[in-house]
């Protein structure tokens, strides 16, 4: 599996698409920080926070919060990584080389998920680092202590990256079931919108735990304490195990 | 006793209602270059996909390097394959595609990559992106990817598709080198039977998913020699007549037929000669010499047999 991760890392760093994704992430982050325009898919955004962000001079911690609320849009940028890391294997049929190299199906699926998680983590880290750097360039105040700022930025980075990776793990399962990069990409586009719409319109409260961007917003606002975090982690864990498990079953039964 | 690299036992495979393979059994021994011959849809690629686990095995058993199919992940590490069209990342260069294969297989040596590129004659194209390669060059890249980890067993599905005559000759030499210098056992399929005949040491014939026949090259050479088969009532008398008329060489495969290893005889004169010397001639048939003709005759016989059944 380590060999596969090394091969994927090598491939990523040779593709323009990877660097283009990084540039888009940096550009998007810098733009929001400079213009103080918060945007994204939000089902139950805190009106007070939105009002505050819209009408106050942003401190760096405001920037972190604003960027977290805008993170759902990143899904559409990071979707390119999904296509590069696993989509290409199926659209260009290179999975044949990969699987013949002796890697097990389980290792193949797991390696792809881990690679996605790592690259998303790198991108989200850069996303939040860009806020801090841009804010410092614009001479903005910290708004809190450096310790608290870095802690908030770290927690939101890990939370957002993990939540996006869960959506991508469902997309991996869809890819295994349909062999279609297009269908799995459409799922990535639709998922956050659908969850937000059902959450609001159908008033299905249980969707709270799969409304990942709503959860990361709450983390950034400090309205979701670590003790309330359990159900979200459990839901994500269950989804991840189910997706990896069924993806494995699907690929084992698949005529490749 | 030769060491078995691959043992395919009673393997059947169905796609929906289509029986792709029907209880197929055969064995490939160390050092063999095994030519798999059959029409489109006969089951050649299915066999290769089953061996490499790209297709799940439902019925029968396969063992590779002594390991059974449910556990032969390690055996697969000793296997290289190019099945159907060669697969490469189109946006990456030849050398980058090979570096990926090297990393997947835990190879560190840069020289191994250069050697593989050199081996398939792609040195001039090593920095060309895969999407810009011609069909023949992509075929060579696929081959380089398959041989890069120095596999003990190499599976090649139609490796000379799209190659020009010079490329075909190079690939033939390359396979010969792999087999003789690196002791690589090879399973190969090709529609170009004249080419397959030149490289393979053993042939397996497959027809409509059934394994029809297996022959070594020596057996094939004997069987496919051009000549005339005579069906006679008295083999020793017929042999005497042929000998005295200096019609040679000939062999006696059984007690009612004689095979004359010459195809250019005047059959009218020959039958007259035998009859005049008191030999009852029950049949006379010309046998052609190439693998294509052997294959055609074999398939014809098989189909006739199927119709009788």
């Amino acid at each position: 599996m380590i060999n596969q991760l090394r091969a994927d890392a090598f491939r990523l760093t040779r593709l323009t698409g990877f660097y283009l994704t990084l540039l888009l992430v940096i550009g998007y982050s810098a733009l929001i920080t400079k213009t103080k325009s918060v945007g994204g898919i939000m089902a139950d955004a805190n009106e007070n926070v939105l009002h505050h962000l819209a009408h106050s001079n942003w401190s760096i911690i405001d920037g972190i919060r604003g960027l977290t609320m805008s993170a759902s849009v990143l899904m559409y940028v990071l979707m390119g990584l999904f296509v590069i890391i696993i989509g290409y294997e199926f659209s260009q049929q290179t999975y044949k080389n990969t699987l013949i190299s002796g890697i097990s199906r389980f290792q193949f699926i797991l390696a792809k998920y881990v690679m996605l998680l790592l690259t998303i983590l790198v991108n989200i880290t850069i996303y939040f680092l860009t806020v801090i750097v841009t804010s410092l360039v614009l001479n903005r105040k910290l708004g809190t202590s450096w310790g608290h700022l870095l802690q908030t930025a770290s927690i939101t980075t890990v939370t957002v990256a993990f939540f996006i990776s869960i959506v991508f793990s469902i997309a991996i399962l869809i890819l295994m079931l349909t062999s279609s990069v297009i269908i799995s990409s459409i799922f990535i586009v639709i998922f956050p919108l659908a969850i937000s719409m059902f959450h609001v319109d159908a008033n299905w409260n249980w969707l709270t735990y799969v409304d990942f961007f709503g959860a990361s917003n709450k983390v950034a606002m400090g309205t979701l304490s670590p003790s309330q975090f359990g159900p979200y982690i459990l839901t994500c864990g269950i989804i991840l195990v189910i997706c990896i498990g069924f993806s494995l079953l699907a690929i084992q039964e698949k005529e490749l | 006793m030769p060491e078995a690299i691959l043992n395919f036992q009673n393997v059947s495979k169905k796609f929906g209602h289509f029986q792709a393979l029907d209880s197929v059994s055969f064995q490939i021994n160390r050092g063999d270059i095994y030519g798999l011959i059959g029409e489109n849809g006969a089951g050649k690629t299915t066999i290769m996909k089953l061996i490499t686990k790209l297709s799940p095995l439902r019925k029968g058993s396969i063992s590779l390097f002594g390991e059974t199919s449910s556990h032969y992940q390690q055996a697969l590490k000793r296997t290289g394959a190019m099945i159907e069209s060669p697969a490469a990342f189109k946006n990456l260069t030849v050398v980058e595609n090979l570096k990926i294969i090297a990393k997947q297989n835990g190879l560190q040596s840069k020289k191994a990559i250069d050697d593989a590129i050199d081996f398939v004659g792609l040195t001039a194209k090593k920095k060309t992106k895969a999407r810009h390669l011609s069909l023949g060059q992509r075929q060579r890249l696929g081959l380089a990817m398959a041989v890069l980890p120095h596999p003990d067993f190499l599976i090649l599905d139609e490796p000379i598709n799209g190659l020009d005559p010079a490329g075909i000759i190079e690939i033939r030499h390359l396979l010969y080198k792999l087999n003789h210098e690196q002791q690589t056992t090879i399973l190969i399929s090709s529609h170009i039977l004249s080419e397959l005949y030149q490289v393979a040491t053993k042939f397996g014939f497959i027809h409509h998913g059934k394994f029809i026949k297996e022959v070594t090259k020596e057996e094939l050479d004997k069987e496919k020699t051009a000549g005339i088969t005579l069906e006679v009532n008295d083999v020793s008398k017929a042999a005497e007549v042929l000998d005295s008329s200096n019609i040679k060489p000939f062999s006696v495969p059984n007690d009612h037929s004689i095979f004359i290893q010459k195809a250019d005889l005047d059959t009218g004169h020959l039958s007259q000669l035998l009859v005049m010397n008191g030999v009852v001639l029950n049949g006379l048939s010309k046998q052609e010499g190439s693998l294509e003709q052997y294959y055609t005759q074999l398939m014809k016989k098989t189909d006739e047999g199927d119709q009788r059944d």
Side-chain angles (χ1 to χ4, degrees):
Chain A
M1 192 176 111
I2 300 293
N3 286 343
Q4 185 54 39
L5 288 172
R6 286 177 59 230
D8 276 339
F10 172 81
R11 183 162 64 85
L12 262 181
T13 56
R14 293 295 180 282
L15 291 173
T16 318
F18 174 66
Y19 297 103
L20 200 65
T21 306
L22 274 177
L23 276 178
L24 281 171
V25 167
I26 292 168
Y28 179 60
S29 175
L31 188 74
I32 292 172
T33 311
K34 186 168 188 313
T35 59
K36 297 184 278 183
S37 317
V38 177
I41 302 156
M42 291 170 253
D44 55 352
N46 187 320
E47 300 264 334
N48 293 335
V49 176
L50 280 177
H51 187 266
H52 168 75
L53 289 173
H55 295 95
S56 67
N57 288 325
W58 275 21
S59 61
I60 301 181
I61 191 76
D62 287 331
I64 298 286
R65 286 174 182 149
L67 266 287
T68 308
M69 295 183 91
S70 310
S72 54
V73 177
L74 278 184
M75 285 274 285
Y76 305 118
V77 178
L78 298 180
M79 198 167 73
L81 294 176
F82 173 83
V83 174
I84 291 172
I85 292 171
I86 189 162
Y88 278 3
E89 292 267 10
F90 286 86
S91 64
Q92 301 184 14
Q93 297 200 328
T94 49
Y95 62 81
K96 286 192 279 189
N97 304 335
T98 308
L99 293 173
I100 292 168
S101 74
I103 187 172
S104 71
R105 306 287 164 109
F106 176 68
Q107 287 172 328
F108 175 73
I109 296 289
L110 201 62
K112 292 296 171 189
Y113 172 74
V114 170
M115 197 65 210
L116 271 170
L117 180 63
L118 290 175
T119 47
I120 293 166
L121 198 61
V122 167
N123 276 274
I124 303 293
T125 304
I126 288 170
Y127 179 66
F128 284 111
L129 278 178
T130 306
V131 191
I132 297 172
V133 172
T134 311
S135 301
L136 288 173
V137 169
L138 294 170
N139 276 324
R140 289 185 183 162
K141 291 177 184 165
L142 276 183
T144 183
S145 66
W146 268 108
H148 182 244
L149 178 80
L150 292 176
Q151 189 192 25
T152 307
S154 306
I155 291 172
T156 43
T157 297
V158 173
T159 311
V160 171
F162 182 56
F163 285 159
I164 292 178
S165 82
I166 296 298
V167 180
F168 283 6
S169 76
I170 306 172
I172 290 177
L173 174 59
I174 292 170
L175 179 64
M176 292 305 132
L177 292 173
T178 63
S179 296
S180 167
V181 183
I182 295 170
I183 294 174
S184 44
S185 300
I186 289 172
F187 165 79
I188 294 172
V189 173
I190 288 175
F191 182 82
L193 291 167
I195 293 295
S196 297
M197 278 165 55
F198 284 125
H199 196 180
V200 174
D201 295 340
N203 209 15
W204 291 345
N205 288 329
W206 58 270
L207 279 179
T208 303
Y209 299 112
V210 283
D211 180 11
F212 301 133
F213 293 103
S216 50
N217 288 345
K218 287 177 192 166
V219 171
M221 301 310 144
T223 52
L224 191 72
S225 67
S227 59
Q228 294 169 308
F229 217 61
Y232 290 93
I233 297 290
L234 186 68
T235 309
C236 288
I238 291 169
I239 292 174
L240 189 60
V241 168
I242 288 174
C243 288
I244 300 284
F246 277 98
S247 296
L248 180 63
L249 276 179
I251 199 173
Q252 271 175 340
E253 294 303 309
K254 212 173 178 63
E255 295 293 341
L256 294 167
Chain B
M1 196 175 161
E3 181 196 348
I5 297 293
L6 173 78
N7 208 332
F8 217 75
Q9 280 298 317
N10 297 314
V11 174
S12 295
K13 181 85 188 176
K14 259 186 167 181
F15 296 111
H17 293 295
F18 175 65
Q19 186 80 47
L21 293 179
D22 187 3
S23 203
V24 170
S25 299
F26 67 102
Q27 182 176 306
I28 298 179
N29 295 325
R30 181 175 292 282
D32 283 347
I33 301 182
Y34 199 102
L36 207 50
I37 301 170
E39 74 281 4
N40 281 339
K44 305 182 297 289
T45 303
T46 304
I47 287 175
M48 293 178 170
K49 285 189 167 185
L50 282 163
I51 297 168
T52 49
K53 296 180 97 171
L54 292 175
S55 178
L57 178 66
R58 309 264 182 235
K59 202 171 171 198
S61 72
I62 304 172
S63 73
L64 188 63
F65 293 104
E67 295 176 28
T68 53
S69 56
S70 51
H71 302 99
Y72 65 46
Q73 224 61 49
Q74 288 304 315
L76 272 182
K77 287 184 177 163
R78 297 171 65 187
T79 305
M82 185 175 76
I83 297 173
E84 292 174 321
S85 53
F89 289 106
K90 293 182 181 124
N91 289 331
L92 298 183
T93 64
V94 166
V95 73
E96 285 168 344
N97 267 294
L98 286 166
K99 275 185 181 169
I100 288 173
I101 300 291
K103 286 179 191 295
Q104 281 174 335
N105 287 278
L107 298 175
Q108 305 291 337
S109 162
K110 189 185 168 297
K111 193 177 171 296
I113 293 171
D114 289 337
D115 286 349
I117 292 173
D118 190 40
F119 203 51
V120 297
L122 271 182
T123 308
K125 296 282 175 185
K126 65 194 285 189
K127 289 187 176 161
T128 304
K129 287 191 174 176
R131 69 163 70 218
H132 296 132
L133 296 176
S134 68
L135 177 62
Q137 287 163 345
R138 280 206 299 274
Q139 206 74 12
R140 285 165 193 256
L141 173 59
L143 205 55
M145 287 166 143
V147 302
L148 176 65
H150 293 292
D152 294 319
F153 182 40
L154 186 60
I155 300 169
L156 300 172
D157 189 12
E158 305 284 350
I160 52 179
N161 261 8
L163 292 181
D164 53 25
I168 292 175
I169 294 166
E170 278 177 43
I171 297 294
R172 188 199 307 155
H173 290 157
L174 195 148
L175 295 179
Y176 183 85
K177 250 166 84 177
L178 279 171
N179 183 250
H180 283 76
E181 292 175 14
Q182 297 179 22
Q183 283 74 50
T184 310
T185 306
I186 300 169
L187 170 63
I188 179 172
S189 73
S190 175
H191 281 111
I192 307 172
L193 298 188
S194 54
E195 246 340 283
L196 204 54
Y197 173 73
Q198 297 205 48
V199 293
T201 56
K202 207 185 251 186
F203 302 88
F205 294 88
I206 186 157
H207 185 49
H208 295 329
K210 286 185 180 163
F211 198 83
I212 305 297
K213 191 171 185 178
E214 182 182 273
V215 285
T216 62
K217 190 162 189 181
E218 292 73 34
E219 289 165 342
L220 181 75
D221 282 341
K222 263 187 205 162
E223 286 195 42
K224 78 170 183 59
T225 306
I228 297 167
T229 300
L230 304 170
E231 302 288 330
V232 293
N233 68 329
D234 187 341
V235 169
S236 32
K237 196 171 183 183
E240 215 172 279
V241 172
L242 293 174
D243 202 29
S244 60
S245 306
N246 207 23
I247 299 173
K248 292 173 188 171
F250 62 82
S251 57
V252 182
N254 53 51
D255 62 358
H256 55 81
S257 60
I258 290 184
F259 180 66
I260 307 168
Q261 290 166 31
K262 268 184 178 176
D264 56 350
L265 291 173
D266 179 347
T267 48
H269 174 73
L270 182 65
S271 51
Q272 192 182 20
L273 179 74
L274 289 165
V275 172
M276 280 176 64
N277 284 282
V279 178
V280 177
L281 187 62
N282 297 321
L284 182 153
S285 60
K286 271 198 166 185
Q287 188 173 309
E288 301 294 349
S290 69
L291 178 57
E292 281 94 333
Q293 277 143 349
Y294 178 84
Y295 167 72
T296 310
Q297 283 169 7
L298 183 66
M299 292 304 115
K300 201 173 152 193
K301 269 187 211 166
T302 309
D303 286 337
E304 282 167 2
D306 286 348
Q307 277 167 11
R308 273 199 296 274
D309 293 341

